[in-house]
Amino acid sequence: MRLGRTARIALRTAAALGFAVIYVPLGLVLLNSLNPDRSAGWPPPGLTGHWWSVAAHNPGVRQALWVSVKAGVGATAIALVLGTLLAFAVARYRFFGRDTVSFLVVLPIALPGIVTGIALNSAFGTVLEPLGVGLGLFTVIVGHATFCVVVVFNNVVARLRRTAGSYEEAAQDLGASGLRAFVDVTFPLVRSALLAGALLAFALSFDEIVVTTFTAGPGVQTLPLWIFDNMARPRQAPVVNVVAAVLVLLSVIPVYLAQRLSADTAPSSRV
Amino acid sequence: MRTEAGRHPARRLAAVLRRRPRLRLTLLLTAPLLWLTVLYLGSLAVLFVSAFWTTDSFTSQVVKVWSTDNFHALLTTPVYRQVVLRSVAVALAVTALCALLALPVAFYTARVAPPRRRPLLVAAILTPLWASYLVKVYAWRLILSQGGLADWMLAPFGLRGPGYGLPATVLTLTYLWLPYMILPLHTALAQVPDGLLDASADLGARPGRTFRSVVLPLVLPSAAAGSVFTFSLSLGDYITVQIVGGKTQLIGNLVYSHIDLDLPMAAALGTVPVVVIVLYLLAIRRTGALDNL
């Protein structure tokens, strides 16, 4: 569309404003972590790195971070297995109820987290507790895995749809066993999709708060739960500020990795 | 790998599997379907059945006697109706605001910006998606706090920031879900063929007319796809409301506040967003949005 000069300038301004709206709050979080004052008044009276060292030695934060990492790794591992199995079934076979499967896998993130949360909570309470298994890290992992399956599934199924099954058939016609064909042909084709899915699943689990609230046992506190608990406590404000700033800075890593991984899938690459 | 008797168990198993596609399919589907149907759908089913149970008002114990009292209360209690209407209105407002803000940004990143810079701009839209949900809400809690950035920016005009409340909730939710709207719009706009726009111009249409008659119909399904996220994520939210909403109550808060004392009522209230979201999905299905998800 040939746009006039005014239209171009208007659009550029609107886009610049849009990006400002997206980034100003994140920048504020970064700046606020250097605020010597405990209150969040604006403008900050000065800058200090003091709270960063305080936060680094906060045992609550360290513990919560470790719990989050364990939950994320566990949920990602389960989601990788279940999501990949489903993706192969849906992309490589035709069967009754195939569309239902694709729908079923989206449901845990399509429905409000609170509904998923209380459903799992009451199910765990009625089924697991009589067996002597209370809510704890295990139930958090199970809950997270349920909605992480979809991101692994989406990534792998998209990859499989783009690469026809004929590669595997060709390998088998050339004498490779099913296992050999999988190891040498299929797996390298889906490897980067698996990585991208795992990355997304971990990030999703790491950030989740609602389902966690309802599936975590009394002693289990993930990082989001810790932030939520401490957000309204004035005494903890500086540490919350630093943790928030760290999370903003860390969010660059998955974007960078995802870009690298999708570059791997570009037509010009080796695969 | 499961082993079978024989000299090369793995190879023999592979050979068996190769001859029997149905068996392969069954092996692929068993674990994930058990997980999703038994664990997830099973839990949901129990929850929805429990919406028809009641609670002993003295002991807060769930009484497993079938009754429709909860749904009756849901439909007749004015507070519930108000909260449901408010929640739907908030979700619609957030969706409209997101679409309004996203369109110029997406149009710029997809068609106006220099092509070499476009991947970088898309990454710039994506980055905040990875920033923690709580951190983003926290950022707005800081901005809207007393004497915070909003107050400071509006002070020269003799105004004050909105503080915590319903407007703060709408604002924060719009911020949270904005990238979910920009991305599908960007993708759709980037895919509009140049030839169509040239043809429209050749036939005498001004940019405004081309936008309305050519571009908009082509990106509408993607906007609808984005709106599924903005709408349903807003409708179910209760954390943002707790953090920046002041005394505001949305349906999620209502569910949350009933969980400990009256689980059946919480379950009944929980069916509301589910029903509304299903209705919303059915309503926009005709735009073809669901194929774009």
Side-chain angles (χ1 to χ4, degrees), chain A residues 1-4 7-8 10-12 14-19 21-26 28-29 32 40-43 78 81-86 88-90 92-96 101 103-116 118-124 126 141-143 145-146 149 169 172-173 176-179 196 199-200 203-204 207 209-211 213-214 223-225 227-228 231-232 237-238 240-241 243-245 247-248 251-252 254-255 258-259, chain B residues 1 10-11 14 18 21-22 24-25 27-29 31-33 35-37 39-44 46-48 50 64 101 103-105 107-109 111-112 119-143 145-149 152-153 175 178-179 182 194 197-198 201-202 206-208 210-211 215 229 232-233 235-239 242-243 251-253 255-256 259 263 266-267 270-271 273-274 277-278 281 293:
Chain A
M1 183 159 35
R2 274 160 248 150
L3 289 168
R8 253 167 207 287
L11 268 174
R12 200 165 291 157
L17 268 175
F19 276 104
V21 168
I22 292 174
Y23 278 97
V24 164
L26 297 179
L28 182 75
V29 168
N32 202 51
W42 187 265
I78 297 174
V81 174
L82 298 181
T84 310
L85 289 172
L86 269 185
F88 271 94
V90 166
R92 292 284 191 257
Y93 298 87
R94 318 206 139 267
F95 56 92
F96 176 74
V101 169
F103 175 73
L104 185 62
V105 79
V106 187
L107 209 57
I109 54 163
L111 291 186
I114 190 165
V115 175
T116 304
I118 44 174
L120 289 176
N121 177 285
S122 49
F124 289 152
T126 45
I141 291 176
V142 171
T146 304
V149 173
E169 284 164 21
Q172 297 197 350
D173 285 347
S177 67
L179 192 65
L199 193 70
L200 272 161
L204 206 61
D207 192 29
I209 174 157
V210 178
V211 172
T213 307
F214 294 107
L223 201 58
L225 287 184
I227 298 176
F228 190 52
M231 201 182 274
V240 174
N241 288 338
V243 174
L247 288 180
V248 169
S251 62
V252 179
V255 179
Q259 293 286 91
Chain B
M1 173 86 10
R11 199 172 290 174
R18 195 180 170 189
R22 283 281 131 191
R24 285 200 309 253
L25 181 62
L27 285 178
L28 285 175
L29 283 175
L33 280 190
W35 187 285
L36 286 172
T37 49
L39 185 94
Y40 184 69
L41 287 187
S43 307
L44 276 185
V46 171
L47 181 72
F48 289 134
S50 75
K64 293 181 183 173
L101 287 169
L103 196 58
V105 176
F107 200 88
Y108 179 78
T109 59
R111 303 215 71 98
V112 180
L120 191 71
L121 288 170
V122 173
I125 297 167
L126 273 170
T127 309
L129 264 184
W130 293 88
S132 158
Y133 161 94
L134 268 182
V135 169
K136 285 182 275 186
V137 184
Y138 184 58
W140 282 91
R141 188 179 165 84
L142 295 176
I143 292 174
S145 67
Q146 231 176 21
L149 188 64
W152 180 80
M153 275 172 68
Y175 178 77
L178 185 61
I182 300 180
D194 287 330
L197 304 179
D198 292 340
D202 287 346
R206 292 165 181 279
T210 304
F211 184 77
V215 177
F229 291 104
S232 79
L233 289 170
L235 196 66
D237 188 276
Y238 71 95
I239 303 254
Q242 280 186 22
I243 297 174
I251 185 77
N253 307 85
V255 176
Y256 186 74
I259 285 170
L263 186 69
T271 59
V274 175
I277 287 166
V278 169
L281 289 175
L293 280 183

Side-chain angles (χ1 to χ4, degrees), chain B:
Chain B
M1 173 86 10
R2 205 168 301 181
T3 52
E4 272 189 11
R7 273 196 309 162
H8 300 288
R11 199 172 290 174
R12 265 184 61 168
L13 181 67
V16 170
L17 284 177
R18 195 180 170 189
R19 285 193 305 270
R20 302 183 59 184
R22 283 281 131 191
L23 179 65
R24 285 200 309 253
L25 181 62
T26 313
L27 285 178
L28 285 175
L29 283 175
T30 308
L33 280 190
L34 272 179
W35 187 285
L36 286 172
T37 49
V38 176
L39 185 94
Y40 184 69
L41 287 187
S43 307
L44 276 185
V46 171
L47 181 72
F48 289 134
V49 170
S50 75
F52 292 95
W53 293 339
T54 47
T55 304
D56 187 302
S57 51
F58 284 108
T59 59
S60 294
Q61 289 293 311
V62 174
V63 182
K64 293 181 183 173
V65 179
W66 188 267
S67 88
T68 50
D69 290 357
N70 293 326
F71 288 98
H72 186 72
L74 186 65
L75 293 171
T76 51
T77 313
V79 182
Y80 291 159
R81 257 189 307 191
Q82 254 173 28
V83 172
V84 169
L85 284 179
R86 187 187 302 136
S87 306
V88 174
V90 164
L92 287 175
V94 168
T95 302
L97 276 171
C98 279
L100 217 64
L101 287 169
L103 196 58
V105 176
F107 200 88
Y108 179 78
T109 59
R111 303 215 71 98
V112 180
R116 287 188 56 195
R117 218 183 294 159
R118 286 175 196 172
L120 191 71
L121 288 170
V122 173
I125 297 167
L126 273 170
T127 309
L129 264 184
W130 293 88
S132 158
Y133 161 94
L134 268 182
V135 169
K136 285 182 275 186
V137 184
Y138 184 58
W140 282 91
R141 188 179 165 84
L142 295 176
I143 292 174
L144 299 167
S145 67
Q146 231 176 21
L149 188 64
D151 278 349
W152 180 80
M153 275 172 68
L154 292 169
F157 308 100
L159 296 169
R160 302 195 51 198
Y164 302 144
L166 192 58
T169 306
V170 173
L171 206 64
T172 308
L173 289 173
T174 304
Y175 178 77
L176 282 172
W177 316 135
L178 185 61
Y180 288 95
M181 187 62 98
I182 300 180
L183 277 175
L185 282 181
H186 168 90
T187 312
L189 283 166
Q191 282 169 356
V192 174
D194 287 330
L196 277 184
L197 304 179
D198 292 340
S200 175
D202 287 346
L203 291 168
R206 292 165 181 279
R209 180 67 204 262
T210 304
F211 184 77
R212 258 180 295 130
S213 306
V214 181
V215 177
L216 217 49
L218 285 173
V219 300
L220 215 55
S222 300
S227 79
V228 172
F229 291 104
T230 58
F231 184 83
S232 79
L233 289 170
S234 307
L235 196 66
D237 188 276
Y238 71 95
I239 303 254
T240 297
V241 190
Q242 280 186 22
I243 297 174
V244 297
K247 292 197 171 83
T248 309
Q249 284 241 314
L250 294 187
I251 185 77
N253 307 85
L254 221 47
V255 176
Y256 186 74
S257 63
H258 278 84
I259 285 170
D260 286 332
L261 292 178
D262 193 349
L263 186 69
M265 191 66 217
L269 288 164
T271 59
V272 175
V274 175
V275 169
V276 174
I277 287 166
V278 169
L279 288 177
Y280 188 78
L281 289 175
L282 289 175
I284 67 158
R285 192 168 60 171
R286 287 195 298 159
T287 63
L290 302 187
D291 308 327
N292 280 309
L293 280 183

